[in-house]
Amino acid sequence: MSELWDALHNTYNSASGREVDLSVLDPLPTLQERDWPPFSALELTDALFSCSSRSSPGPDHITWVHLKAVLENEKSVQLLVTLADACILVGHWPKHFKDSVTVIILKPGKPMYSTPKSFRPIVLLNTVGKLIEKMISNRLQFDMIKYDLVHPNEVGGVRQRSTEDAGLFLTHLVCTGWAKGKKTSVLAFDIAQFFPSLNHAMLLAILRKQGFSSFVVRFFASYLVAGFTSYLWGSFRSGSHQADVGVGQGSALSPVLSALYIAPVMKLYHMQSVALKTSLLSYVDDETVMAQSKSLDKNRETLKDAYAVLLRLFVAIGLVLKHCKTKYFIFDRFHSDYSPPINLGYAPYTGENLLKPNICWRYLGFYFDRKLLFHEHVRYYSTKALSLVKAMKMLGSST
């Protein structure tokens, strides 16, 4: 089993030692440092209320049911609030909270499961530490919106923004373009191993840039390092491995930290690509850039230039794009079969092997067609619903 554990660990820690360019943040303004008030008992109870009692416990084996019972005592609440405040003020995350178990689960819909990239690592953390993380996450979410730290088109990891918002934005953009006689071309791409690839030095620099208290930055300098995890595959469990890169997918802090990490790219892109007149939409590790004009050929060239700018920015912050998974799609309400392929400029879509536009594009649960008729979307979900009803009928007949 040692070869399996090594393969998993090397895959999920592939970003270790990857270089970043902190100077990429220089064009952005440095916000004034903000105070970080002490936590209140209400913040703790609000964070606790949102925790599912059925969530799996971490290495401490404390369930949310047990913790909720303990925190019915007012003195216990005050002690935990004091601990949370001390972690921030001292700038220290206890070693006990850094131990985790990484559960390996299948990514659905994969044709083969012969490589570690076909599996998803879910981190199980110590329950008390996870509650404190939720309290900190709620604070970061509040600051993120109040102080305009994230771009309006960044919908992943931000509360009150969802996949529906992304779908509505894209549909509205296409329809608005049609009203002006314009056609819309879209380039969608993924970030490889997103959560495990967040560079700690870059993340701390971003938090300083965004005006977070020096206490908070110092806390995260401790929180992000010297972690240890063991891998769990079915009933098999590995020994302890050092986990010093990225943020754990399963932590309450991972969505908000990833949103803050992507925010500078969103803002820098719009600063550096004003002449391209494109729109950028981000949902966690799914990025989409859109070009509009009266010519599909012009859109194609614009998207190629936009992709080059985005690649440069993502590489600067230590992230790698999956060129092979890039999707190209065209929205055109007229009866035209003209679909010019695009030379992305990066393998495998370069030279004679051009990226051709999809006939139907699956994006965040939506199935888009060229004319926004949503026929494929309706067909897919109606078939899925009918299959579910038939399966329920079969289960009912078996009893």
Side-chain angles (χ1 to χ4, degrees):
M1 295 292 289
S2 61
E3 291 182 0
L4 172 63
W5 305 134
D6 289 342
L8 291 172
H9 187 67
N10 292 336
T11 299
Y12 303 136
N13 292 269
S14 59
S16 180
R18 188 179 294 167
E19 293 185 359
V20 296
D21 181 11
L22 297 179
S23 66
V24 73
L25 302 176
D26 290 347
L28 297 174
T30 302
L31 301 184
Q32 184 177 357
E33 184 176 333
R34 299 181 297 275
D35 292 333
W36 183 273
F39 288 109
S40 67
L42 180 60
E43 286 179 281
L44 185 145
T45 53
D46 283 348
L48 185 64
F49 180 77
S50 66
C51 298
S52 172
S53 298
R54 293 187 292 180
S55 295
S56 300
D60 58 5
H61 303 292
I62 298 175
T63 66
W64 287 111
V65 174
H66 295 142
L67 188 58
K68 287 178 180 180
V70 170
L71 292 176
E72 287 180 358
N73 182 285
E74 191 174 319
K75 188 173 181 180
S76 298
V77 171
Q78 290 300 327
L79 286 172
L80 197 52
V81 169
T82 302
L83 175 60
D85 284 332
C87 288
I88 298 294
L89 290 174
V90 177
H92 176 71
W93 190 236
K95 182 180 180 298
H96 173 72
F97 295 152
K98 294 183 180 184
D99 293 333
S100 64
V101 175
T102 301
V103 181
I104 308 301
I105 63 173
L106 299 173
K107 288 183 179 179
K110 294 291 182 181
M112 294 181 64
Y113 292 93
S114 56
T115 62
K117 290 184 179 180
S118 299
F119 299 84
R120 178 176 288 113
I122 301 296
V123 177
L124 301 181
L125 302 162
N126 288 306
T127 308
V128 175
K130 196 168 183 177
L131 179 58
I132 297 175
E133 288 184 11
K134 281 181 175 286
M135 295 166 63
I136 298 171
S137 175
N138 290 342
R139 281 280 189 90
L140 296 180
Q141 286 278 356
F142 178 82
D143 277 19
M144 198 160 59
I145 301 301
K146 181 177 180 180
Y147 298 104
D148 198 25
L149 302 182
V150 292
H151 193 275
N153 287 2
E154 191 175 350
V155 294
V158 185
R159 285 184 187 165
Q160 306 300 321
R161 300 184 189 179
S162 64
T163 55
E164 287 86 354
D165 295 314
L168 286 170
F169 172 81
L170 183 57
T171 303
H172 175 74
L173 184 75
V174 172
C175 291
T176 302
W178 285 348
K180 299 176 181 178
K182 296 181 178 180
K183 301 174 183 180
T184 304
S185 301
V186 175
L187 207 57
F189 54 94
D190 292 350
I191 301 172
Q193 295 292 323
F194 179 51
F195 289 104
S197 297
L198 302 189
N199 182 276
H200 295 168
M202 178 61 71
L203 179 57
L204 295 177
I206 290 171
L207 293 175
R208 291 190 197 96
K209 201 78 173 176
Q210 293 170 336
F212 285 101
S213 168
S214 56
F215 292 108
V216 175
V217 177
R218 193 161 60 244
F219 164 77
F220 277 109
S222 170
Y223 172 85
L224 293 167
V225 299
F228 286 88
T229 191
S230 57
Y231 296 98
L232 187 65
W233 185 305
S235 59
F236 299 99
R237 183 166 175 170
S238 74
S240 185
H241 290 76
Q242 191 167 358
D244 265 348
V245 295
V247 293
Q249 194 170 352
S251 164
L253 284 167
S254 60
V256 63
L257 289 178
S258 65
L260 291 170
Y261 196 89
I262 288 290
V265 171
M266 298 285 290
K267 294 183 177 182
L268 286 166
Y269 172 76
H270 284 93
M271 290 169 61
Q272 297 179 14
S273 62
V274 175
L276 294 177
K277 297 181 180 179
T278 55
S279 298
L280 180 62
L281 184 62
S282 173
Y283 187 86
V284 192
D285 59 346
D286 293 319
E287 315 302 318
T288 308
V289 60
M290 296 145 282
Q292 288 185 313
S293 74
K294 295 184 178 182
S295 167
L296 292 178
D297 291 320
K298 183 178 179 181
N299 285 354
R300 177 180 58 181
E301 296 307 313
T302 300
L303 288 177
K304 181 180 178 180
D305 293 341
Y307 190 79
V309 174
L310 285 165
L311 177 62
R312 186 170 64 251
L313 291 173
F314 279 113
V315 169
I317 66 170
L319 297 177
V320 173
L321 304 187
K322 301 179 190 174
H323 303 308
C324 60
K325 289 193 174 182
T326 302
K327 303 296 182 185
Y328 174 41
F329 194 73
I330 292 171
F331 291 99
D332 185 0
R333 62 178 174 178
F334 297 107
H335 298 281
S336 172
D337 294 328
Y338 183 59
S339 302
I342 184 172
N343 182 345
L344 201 59
Y346 303 94
Y349 301 118
T350 187
E352 296 182 359
N353 186 31
L354 303 180
L355 178 60
K356 298 177 182 178
N358 291 29
I359 298 174
C360 181
W361 174 41
R362 185 179 186 274
Y363 176 65
L364 302 179
F366 298 96
Y367 286 82
F368 288 102
D369 54 76
R370 190 176 177 116
K371 298 181 182 180
L372 281 183
L373 299 176
F374 290 101
H375 289 170
E376 179 62 22
H377 183 86
V378 173
R379 186 203 64 78
Y380 175 83
Y381 283 105
S382 59
T383 303
K384 187 175 182 179
L386 288 171
S387 300
L388 180 61
V389 170
K390 289 180 180 179
M392 292 173 66
K393 186 178 180 179
M394 292 171 62
L395 287 173
S397 300
S398 65
T399 57

